[in-house]
């Protein structure tokens, strides 16, 4: 403990970042609270705030060109071989799965971790359960368990771990489940001053899903995976309740084509659908987010006269660890997002704002793709593999996901 940051050092760090107000009430705090605050100041990376000065909004884009996907007919043609390759890799313990569950799921509006949400109608079916059921199908086919790494954040770690334990990991073998936590980033007001959640606590939020490998490494989980012989990591979002995880065919295709990353993609349902589009940027694989997709790109046709940018990513990627190791030290771009940030006011009242009142800082997994040398976009049928839950009702909601589950014969 002797090595911890003391009062002067903390103040100096804050002064360098222009955040002295963080210790404004230090003298009023109890001993334990003082220690908590000092520890948090020490752990917080205030450098993210500097990105506000460079102006928000996207980073300048390079030259965009189409990147051909491996489409369904071709996948069907080679399916047998791909599947055999994939199952073989799974049986040899070369494939792990990484569940990104550190997000706050604010749009869904539940205080619990998103995976704890019950989408059942006639019985309980939790989102976590749905995902594990899908993974179990592969475990049964391969007759081998797949290491499952679960990323949580400071805000939901405890609840997530307890919930999964309580439910016996929904039948998954406990020794194949490993948790690790992502980093947090401070949240600030429009002037770039960090908000306080309590007089002894800076408002922080999870730093986006792009830091997953760095966090996995910090926790020693990536090293352990490599020691165990894992070579591929299938990263997936918590909210797509239909997705195939460690899909043997996808794994086999990525191995066969020797790429650094495979990206599951779907045909966009409309040119302006709100999903990121896979492409080349300055000759390297990349993803253009929907709000960066210009009219011109939306209307560009390929040689067959089809839209050239028609495949969207669904946050299901298969990364080769060797490729990730090469980019581990690289900094990903920081996205500045306007959000509602709870805070305490000058009188010490806890305020839960109804409107956005500041910025959060996030790194995104899709930005990792551009750092890698090669990417295989791999088409899946959207009605069979894409049912994201972002909202309660409407587009990408509990409702729409329930309908899609039904269509696929999944009893809820
Ligand atoms: P979303 O972009 O939907 O974010 O996450 P979210 O924070 O969960 O939801 P909203 O925007 O507040 O409603 C896509 C995936 O990335 C994970 C989420 O858990 C989800 O699986 N994620 C997101 C993280 O693991 N960490 C983060 O910091 C953000």
């Amino acid at each position: 403990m002797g090595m911890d940051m003391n009062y002067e050092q903390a103040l100096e760090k804050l002064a360098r970042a222009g955040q002295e107000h963080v210790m404004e009430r230090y003298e009023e705090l109890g001993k334990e609270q003082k220690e908590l605050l000092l520890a948090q100041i020490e752990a917080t990376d205030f450098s993210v705030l500097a990105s506000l000065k460079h102006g928000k909004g996207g980073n300048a884009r390079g030259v965009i060109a189409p990147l051909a996907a491996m489409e369904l007919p071709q996948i069907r043609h080679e399916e047998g071989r791909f599947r055999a390759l994939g199952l073989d890799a799974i049986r040899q313990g070369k494939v792990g799965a990484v569940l990104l569950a550190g997000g706050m799921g604010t749009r869904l509006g539940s205080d619990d971790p998103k995976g704890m949400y019950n989408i059942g109608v006639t019985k309980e079916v939790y989102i976590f359960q749905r995902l594990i059921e899908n993974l179990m199908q592969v475990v049964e086919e391969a007759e081998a368990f797949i290491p499952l790494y679960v990323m949580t954040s400071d805000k939901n770690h405890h609840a997530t771990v307890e919930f999964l334990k309580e439910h016996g990991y929904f039948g998954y073998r406990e020794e194949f489940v490993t948790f690790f936590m992502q980093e947090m980033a401070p949240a600030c007001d429009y002037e770039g001053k960090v908000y306080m959640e309590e007089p002894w606590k800076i408002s922080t939020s999870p730093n986006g899903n792009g830091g997953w490998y760095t966090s996995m490494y910090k926790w020693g989980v990536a090293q352990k995976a490599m020691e165990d012989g894992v070579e591929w990591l299938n990263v997936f979002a918590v909210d797509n309740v239909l997705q195939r995880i460690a899909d043997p065919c996808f794994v086999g295709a990525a191995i066969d084509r020797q790429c650094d990353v495979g990206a599951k993609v779907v045909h966009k349902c409309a040119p302006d659908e709100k999903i990121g589009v896979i492409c080349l940027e300055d000759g390297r694989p990349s993803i253009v987010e929907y709000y960066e997709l210009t009219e011109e790109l939306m209307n560009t046709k390929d040689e067959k006269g089809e839209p050239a940018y028609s495949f969207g990513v669904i946050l299901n990627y298969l990364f080769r660890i060797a490729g990730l190791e090469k980019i581990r030290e690289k900094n990903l771009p920081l996205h500045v997002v306007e959000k509602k940030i709870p805070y305490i006011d000058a009188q010490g009242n806890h305020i839960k704002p109804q409107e956005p009142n500041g910025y959060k800082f996030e790194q995104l997994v899709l930005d990792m793709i551009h750092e890698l040398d090669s990417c295989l976009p791999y088409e899946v049928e959207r009605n069979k593999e894409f049912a994201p839950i972002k909202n309660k009702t409407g587009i990408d909601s509990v409702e729409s996901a329930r309908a899609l589950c039904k269509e696929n014969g999944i009893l809820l």
Side-chain angles (χ1 to χ4, degrees):
M1 290 299 278
M3 299 292 283
D4 289 348
M5 199 169 238
N6 63 29
Y7 175 83
E8 282 75 28
Q9 291 165 328
L11 202 60
E12 196 189 304
K13 181 172 181 183
L14 292 173
R16 276 199 306 269
Q19 306 291 337
E20 291 95 325
H21 66 285
V22 167
M23 284 176 99
E24 220 165 52
R25 294 168 171 224
Y26 189 76
E27 290 313 320
E28 300 162 26
L29 304 178
K31 184 165 176 290
E32 218 166 280
Q33 295 174 339
K34 283 183 175 160
E35 278 170 13
L36 281 174
L37 183 57
L38 290 179
Q40 201 190 11
I41 294 168
E42 180 168 20
T44 302
D45 176 11
F46 293 102
S47 69
V48 295
L49 301 164
S51 61
L52 280 179
K53 295 202 192 80
H54 312 309
K56 43 183 202 87
N59 307 288
R61 307 264 12 177
V63 177
I64 306 294
L67 170 62
M70 181 185 271
E71 298 188 31
L72 290 171
Q74 184 171 3
I75 293 170
R76 287 191 189 116
H77 182 66
E78 295 190 76
E79 184 169 354
R81 201 166 54 84
F82 287 163
R83 183 169 294 277
L85 265 176
L87 285 172
D88 203 38
I90 290 167
R91 287 185 192 117
Q92 290 177 40
K94 291 183 180 174
V95 183
V98 182
L99 167 56
L100 301 176
M104 300 278 284
T106 44
R107 282 170 286 174
L108 191 57
S110 159
D111 285 336
D112 289 330
K114 207 184 238 187
M116 284 174 61
Y117 200 88
N118 175 16
I119 60 164
V121 181
T122 62
K123 54 177 185 171
E124 286 173 353
V125 181
Y126 300 99
I127 293 182
F128 280 140
Q129 177 180 0
R130 200 60 288 293
L131 297 173
I132 291 175
E133 278 170 9
N134 279 355
L135 184 55
M136 275 308 284
Q137 289 185 351
V138 181
V139 168
E140 275 157 22
E141 188 181 354
E143 295 178 326
F145 268 85
I146 292 156
L148 173 63
Y149 309 98
V150 182
M151 183 169 84
T152 60
S153 82
D154 188 42
K155 305 265 182 198
N156 67 15
H157 183 76
H158 185 73
T160 304
V161 172
E162 288 305 305
F163 179 80
L164 286 173
K165 233 190 227 159
E166 203 177 291
H167 288 86
Y169 301 89
F170 296 106
Y172 218 70
R173 288 249 293 272
E174 185 173 11
E175 67 262 40
F176 287 94
V177 182
T178 311
F179 295 92
F180 65 99
M181 275 161 88
Q182 70 175 102
E183 323 274 296
M184 304 294 285
C188 67
D189 65 17
Y190 293 120
E191 270 68 55
K193 300 283 180 206
V194 300
Y195 277 115
M196 299 300 288
E197 212 168 282
E198 298 287 354
W200 60 89
K201 197 167 194 285
I202 301 167
S203 297
T204 56
S205 63
N207 68 342
N209 56 27
W212 69 272
Y213 191 69
T214 315
S215 300
M216 200 172 165
Y217 201 89
K218 275 200 181 148
W219 277 66
V221 173
Q223 296 88 320
K224 173 75 170 54
M226 284 184 267
E227 273 166 42
D228 292 346
V230 178
E231 292 178 11
W232 295 88
L233 290 173
N234 184 193
V235 173
F236 63 102
V238 73
D239 48 31
N240 177 4
V241 293
L242 273 186
Q243 68 192 315
R244 315 302 312 165
I245 304 155
D247 172 354
C249 206
F250 181 39
V251 172
I255 293 175
D256 187 66
R257 297 299 197 264
Q258 302 188 357
C259 57
D260 275 338
V261 60
K264 283 204 169 182
V265 295
V266 293
H267 243 297
K268 291 203 310 180
C269 63
D272 59 351
E273 190 189 3
K274 290 187 173 173
I275 57 177
V277 163
I278 196 118
C279 61
L280 288 174
E281 180 178 357
D282 296 333
R284 300 176 67 79
S286 194
I287 291 157
V288 174
E289 292 210 70
Y290 65 90
Y291 51 82
E292 294 176 320
L293 196 68
T294 58
E295 280 289 312
E296 190 194 332
L297 290 176
M298 243 184 249
N299 296 324
T300 307
K301 301 277 189 293
D302 64 13
E303 63 276 12
K304 285 179 261 163
E306 305 285 340
Y309 301 97
S310 56
F311 285 110
V313 287
I314 59 170
L315 222 176
N316 188 311
Y317 302 102
L318 185 70
F319 288 95
R320 185 199 291 275
I321 297 189
L324 290 170
E325 278 294 303
K326 279 194 256 165
I327 64 166
R328 187 157 47 80
E329 306 288 337
K330 286 201 179 166
N331 281 328
L332 293 178
L334 217 47
H335 296 252
V336 181
V337 202
E338 235 186 308
K339 287 268 175 171
K340 299 175 206 163
I341 303 154
Y343 66 101
I344 47 162
D345 67 11
Q347 284 73 44
N349 302 311
H350 291 85
I351 312 284
K352 254 194 157 177
Q354 300 301 310
E355 294 301 321
N357 60 335
Y359 301 121
K360 284 193 344 188
F361 301 86
E362 295 192 333
Q363 292 182 334
L364 301 179
V365 64
L366 56 81
D367 287 318
M368 293 170 88
I369 307 302
H370 191 52
E371 302 298 329
L372 296 165
D373 292 331
S374 54
C375 173
L376 174 73
Y378 177 97
E379 186 188 5
V380 296
E381 274 178 82
R382 72 179 290 146
N383 279 5
K384 290 196 176 151
E385 287 203 37
F386 191 42
I389 297 179
K390 302 288 183 193
N391 310 295
K392 272 213 169 93
T393 56
I395 294 175
D396 296 345
S397 67
V398 179
E399 278 177 357
S400 61
R402 277 187 186 140
L404 281 162
C405 283
K406 194 170 169 200
E407 205 180 302
N408 283 280
I410 295 162
L411 195 66
L412 293 180

